[in-house]
């Protein structure tokens, strides 16, 4: 089944220019897809279209075979959850447990079921110990994990992360990426990861590059990162490691392009002299 | 201006159940002309430290309160003695510019011009002449790489994310402070935006502000840009070293929960394969040294 | 760091009083205030004071904390007392001295005035203490829950009880964030030479614009993002919503309820049999 399917979708914020232009794309159930693009490339708009926070000007969107429209919003949002960028602006309640319960309460579950969902969601993001903690006292990464738990409590089949790591420090970023990967692999949740960190896109099975509201590149992360000139054209900076690879090659050391520093070290080791001891 | 702190301590909310020791006996010197880095987690004391530098947090001067500071506490920025109650904090703030995290959220005026002019007017001894003000604002806006003619009449809220941040920085450097302190100047920007901001800071460092201090989580940023860096943890300073010497301590840094730069990770992986590379942890130097050791055509 | 102080009201320990149903505590406070006004003599107040003292002991909130709450309204208390000493007229005699102790033009100190002032001071102090005990022993969240539950009957007249409670809980969530933000913006503008704490009134009002504007914009931006996040989590108003946390009335609450009833009965009986000595 297709988790999301866009057919000829266009959307404009009403300034004459299209934020999304004639877009066709789909995500299979269980997939992990990364969406890359510089600020203003239309990738956040794409996220908001997926669960009806924005309504397309033209074209149609289906989510798990359900057309996204006014009448289906409730069911669409139960299936597709979004985690946003700012960790401070997504929590409704002051206490972790109460906030995770919010979504589950909205869909009218029984108390017992809500309790079970909170247990499950907090466990899935590794925040069980913080059940009764005050949200304000958590770190950025922990707040985002609570936000993910809040979405999980709705029992979604798909999760969209709209630059959810952009405001976090490296440690928080790692925490979130681990959680997301586990949810995809163990719970079978479809993931659409919107990011401008190329390193994060590596976890995906497929990556999409957006520019000017259109999909301009499509493929596995490695395929995409090999087309370096093209990426630069779309205002995407190459990961630092790719730049080191290029410069080594330019200098005459024939290393393979890789995004894993262990592999790069292996490649380099083949080419440099070991000190004779 | 040389910055010199000795035995500096600070406690938040003293006498309340939430009292927290933010700085504990910090001793640190930043020489004039440095591009200095400060590394540490949220809550490591780095924000408290930089807020001392322009008197946003003051060393209490009354004797009673002074007890909690060791009597040998020293905090000097150039000729300003911040431990003395007679310090002219206005003059100090003019010489020490401070750019907070997400500075674009402090924009407030109707036009970019007015916003940038705000600091200049505040610090001027008397109302500046129109041409003088215009000159200062124009050069600050041009310094941060914005087109003066195109943006000066715009509302700052109509600028793009990266432009807003530049405008906010212009609003701080408009008085040409000798020391510029920036808290996470590249946070939240896309990778290209990050690179551009760092280039901008180097330009400001070359042309306007003798000393630049940045707080950053990004170790690559520190290793590529800084002359020296201080590592804060739990209110104390663990290391003050040039990147070339700092990132040799990979295990210790990891123990503090900090990352290490990519170059250090590559060197570490090579060492495990029996190859010792000593470099200063900039990509330039690493690539050069690796190429110098290239053997045959493998 | 302001956020730490703002929640200083709640005193986080586990006690009999902390565990009471917030609804009961709110009802208790209201009933207590009524009782204070029903009490017409010192015996009635003594009963009220005894009950409150018992509650404070059971709550493990240190007396120092409780007095701090009273200190906050000390000026008001003294002001009321002084006003009443000089202006309350009565000819009752309580001790062996003339009814009017001192007189100067329209100012007059009577025995009745002094006694009445003392009476008022005690009443005010008890009132403030009891209210602060509610906030010391109840988290803002359960206070909101309690108010929502108590207001439920108003749903019949289409009063938006659920929305009101949600607004309160969101406000509680965002107060510390916005306080932090205010501090940050103030610091940023001070670093740009803004003089926020000097000059005349006009100057100061002008000086807050650089703080208020960014703060307002930030609050709007946050509200916008929070709205999206709530929508995305299927928020559709209160109709189909269930509640995870149910407030439950336990044996503890029953004991306190009986105590409350006894106190009110006592105060009423004392009023009827001893009358007003004032």
């Amino acid at each position: 089944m297709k988790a999301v399917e866009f057919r000829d979708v266009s959307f404009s914020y009403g300034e004459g220019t299209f934020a999304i232009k004639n877009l066709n794309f789909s995500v299979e159930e269980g997939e992990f897809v990364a969406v890359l693009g510089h600020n203003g490339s239309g990738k956040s708009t794409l996220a908001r279209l997926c669960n009806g926070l924005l309504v397309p000007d033209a074209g149609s969107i289906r989510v798990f075979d359900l057309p996204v429209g006014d009448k289906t919003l409730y069911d669409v949002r139960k299936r597709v959850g979004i985690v946003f960028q700012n960790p401070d602006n997504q929590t409704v309640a002051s206490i972790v447990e109460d906030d995770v319960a919010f979504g589950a309460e909205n869909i009218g579950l029984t108390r017992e079921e809500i309790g079970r969902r909170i247990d499950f969601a907090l466990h899935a993001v590794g925040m069980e110990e913080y059940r009764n903690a005050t949200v304000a006292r958590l770190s950025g990464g922990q707040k985002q994990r609570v936000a993910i738990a809040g979405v999980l409590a709705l029992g979604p089949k798909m999760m969209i992360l709209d630059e959810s790591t952009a405001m976090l420090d490296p440690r928080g970023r790692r925490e979130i990426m681990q959680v997301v990967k586990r949810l995809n692999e163990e719970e079978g949740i479809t993931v659409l990861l919107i990011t401008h960190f190329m390193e994060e896109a590596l976890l995906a099975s497929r990556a999409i590059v957006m520019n000017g509201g259109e999909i301009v590149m499509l493929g596995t992360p490695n395929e995409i990162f090999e087309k370096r000139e093209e990426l630069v054209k779309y205002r995407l900076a190459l990961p630092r490691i790719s730049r080191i690879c290029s410069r080594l090659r330019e200098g005459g050391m024939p290393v393979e392009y890789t995004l894993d520093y262990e592999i790069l070290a292996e490649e380099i080791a083949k080419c440099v002299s070991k000190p004779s001891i | 201006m040389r910055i010199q702190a000795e035995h500096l301590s600070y406690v938040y909310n003293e006498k309340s159940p939430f009292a927290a020791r933010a700085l504990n006996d910090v001793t640190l010197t930043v020489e004039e002309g440095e591009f200095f880095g400060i590394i540490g987690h949220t809550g490591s004391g780095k924000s408290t430290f930089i807020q001392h530098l322009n008197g946003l947090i003051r060393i209490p001067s009354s004797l009673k309160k002074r007890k909690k500071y060791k009597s040998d506490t020293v905090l000097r920025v150039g000729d300003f003695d911040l431990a003395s109650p007679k310090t002219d904090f206005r003059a100090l703030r003019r010489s020490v510019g401070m750019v907070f995290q997400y500075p674009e959220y402090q924009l407030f005026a109707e036009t970019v011009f007015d916003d940038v002019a705000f600091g200049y007017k505040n610090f001027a001894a008397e109302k500046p002449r129109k041409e003088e003000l215009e000159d200062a604002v124009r050069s600050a806006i041009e310094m941060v790489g914005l087109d003066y003619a195109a943006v000066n009449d715009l509302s700052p809220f109509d600028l793009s994310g990266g432009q807003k941040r530049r405008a906010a920085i212009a609003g701080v450097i408009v008085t040409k402070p000798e020391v510029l302190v920036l808290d996470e100047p590249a946070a939240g920007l896309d990778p290209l935006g990050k690179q551009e901001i760092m280039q901008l800071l180097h330009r400001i460092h070359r042309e306007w502000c003798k000393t630049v201090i940045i707080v950053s989580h990004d170790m690559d940023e520190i290793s590529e840009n800084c002359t020296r860096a201080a590592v804060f943890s739990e209110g104390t300073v663990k290391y003050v070293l040039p990147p070339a010497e700092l990132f040799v301590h990979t295990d210790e840094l990891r123990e503090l929960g900090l990352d290490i730069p990519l170059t250090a990770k590559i060197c570490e992986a090579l060492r495990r394969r029996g190859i010792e590379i000593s470099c200063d942890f900039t990509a330039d130097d690493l690539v050069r040294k690796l190429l110098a050791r290239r053997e045959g055509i493998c | 760091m302001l956020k730490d102080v703002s929640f200083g009201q709640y005193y986080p320990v586990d006690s009999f009083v902390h565990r009471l149903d917030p609804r009961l505590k709110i009802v208790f406070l209201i009933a207590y205030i009524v009782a204070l006004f029903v009490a017409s003599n010192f015996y009635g107040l003594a009963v009220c004071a005894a009950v409150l003292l018992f509650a404070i002991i059971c709550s493990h909130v240190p007396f120092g904390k409780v007095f701090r709450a009273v200190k906050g309204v000390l000026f008001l208390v003294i002001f009321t007392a002084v006003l009443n000493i000089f202006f309350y007229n009565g000819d009752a005699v309580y001790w062996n001295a003339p009814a009017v102790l001192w007189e100067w033009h329209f100012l007059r100190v009577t025995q009745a005035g002094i006694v009445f002032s003392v009476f008022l001071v005690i009443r005010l102090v008890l009132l403030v203490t009891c209210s602060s005990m509610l906030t010391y022993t109840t988290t803002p969240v359960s206070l909101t829950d309690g108010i929502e539950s108590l207001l439920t009957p108003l749903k019949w007249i289409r009063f938006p009880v659920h929305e009101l409670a949600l607004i309160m809980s969101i406000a509680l969530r965002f107060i510390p964030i916005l306080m932090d933000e205010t501090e940050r913006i103030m610091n940023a503008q001070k670093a740009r030479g803004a003089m926020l704490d000097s000059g005349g009134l006009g100057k100061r009002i002008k000086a807050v614009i650089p703080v208020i504007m960014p703060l307002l914009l930030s609050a709007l931006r946050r509200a916008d993002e929070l709205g999206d996040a709530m929508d995305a989590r299927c928020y559709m108003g209160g109709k189909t919503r269930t509640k995870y946390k149910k407030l439950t009335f336990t044996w503890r609450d029953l004991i306190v309820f009986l105590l409350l009833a006894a106190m009110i009965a006592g105060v009423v009986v004392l009023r009827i049999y001893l009358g007003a000595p004032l």
Side-chain angles (χ1 to χ4, degrees), chain A residues 37-39 85-86 137 139 163 166-171 173-174 196-198 232 235-244 247-254 261-275 277, chain B residues 18 41-42 102 105 161-162 187-196 217-218 220-221 224 254 256-259 262-263 265-266 268-270 272-277 283-287 289-291 293-298:
Chain A
H38 63 86
N39 287 340
Q85 185 180 33
N86 191 326
R137 292 185 170 275
S139 72
E163 293 190 34
M167 294 179 77
L168 304 181
D169 60 12
R171 188 198 268 177
R173 213 175 290 156
R174 269 197 304 274
H196 46 225
F197 293 107
M198 300 232 172
V232 173
R235 261 191 75 81
L236 286 169
L238 291 175
R240 218 171 284 259
I241 190 160
S242 306
R243 275 180 281 150
I244 292 181
R247 290 171 62 186
L248 286 172
R249 286 167 68 114
E250 282 159 20
M253 188 183 283
Y261 67 87
E262 284 289 344
I263 297 175
L264 177 62
E266 193 61 55
E267 292 273 316
I268 295 170
K270 287 188 218 153
C271 304
V272 290
S273 55
K274 285 179 192 156
I277 306 162
Chain B
F18 304 105
H41 284 299
T42 325
Y102 300 100
Y105 295 149
L189 297 177
D190 59 20
L192 213 58
K194 279 184 199 225
Q195 281 175 26
E196 288 167 358
H217 287 301
D218 187 337
D220 294 303
E221 222 162 79
E224 294 292 335
R254 285 210 175 97
L256 295 174
L258 296 165
D259 222 356
L262 174 67
T263 44
K265 284 180 189 157
I266 294 174
E268 206 183 24
L270 284 171
R272 265 185 269 120
R273 289 169 175 80
I275 300 162
E276 286 289 341
I277 298 279
D284 281 340
D285 194 47
L286 178 68
V287 167
K289 296 222 163 104
L290 283 173
L291 290 177
R293 301 251 308 254
R294 182 163 55 99
E295 212 175 46
I297 38 158
C298 56

Side-chain angles (χ1 to χ4, degrees), chain A residues 212-268:
Chain A
E214 293 174 303
I215 291 177
V216 287
M217 291 171 82
L218 195 79
T220 65
N222 273 317
E223 283 165 14
I224 285 185
F225 294 139
E226 269 169 27
K227 298 176 186 152
R228 295 182 322 284
E229 294 80 14
E230 235 180 300
L231 284 171
V232 173
K233 196 169 83 195
Y234 301 127
R235 261 191 75 81
L236 286 169
L238 291 175
R240 218 171 284 259
I241 190 160
S242 306
R243 275 180 281 150
I244 292 181
C245 290
S246 319
R247 290 171 62 186
L248 286 172
R249 286 167 68 114
E250 282 159 20
M253 188 183 283
V255 292
E256 288 291 316
Y257 275 110
T258 172
L259 293 162
D260 182 337
Y261 67 87
E262 284 289 344
I263 297 175
L264 177 62
E266 193 61 55
E267 292 273 316
I268 295 170

Side-chain angles (χ1 to χ4, degrees), chain B residues 60-125:
Chain B
S61 47
S62 72
L63 270 176
K64 197 177 125 208
K65 281 187 174 171
R66 233 191 134 111
K67 274 185 202 154
K68 77 180 171 197
Y69 288 87
K70 288 189 181 155
S71 53
D72 46 359
T73 296
V74 175
L75 184 57
R76 284 175 189 285
V77 177
D79 291 332
F80 295 99
D81 177 5
L82 274 67
S84 147
K86 290 185 204 120
T87 315
D88 179 356
F89 281 99
R90 217 165 109 105
L92 172 73
R93 284 178 191 161
R94 198 194 155 107
S95 326
V96 181
M98 180 125 355
V99 179
F100 285 88
Q101 248 185 64
Y102 300 100
E104 53 274 29
Y105 295 149
Q106 74 201 35
L107 298 170
F108 71 95
E110 277 173 57
T111 65
V112 173
F113 183 94
D114 288 343
D115 211 292
V116 175
F118 178 68
Y120 196 83
K121 285 196 242 168
N122 283 334
F123 284 122

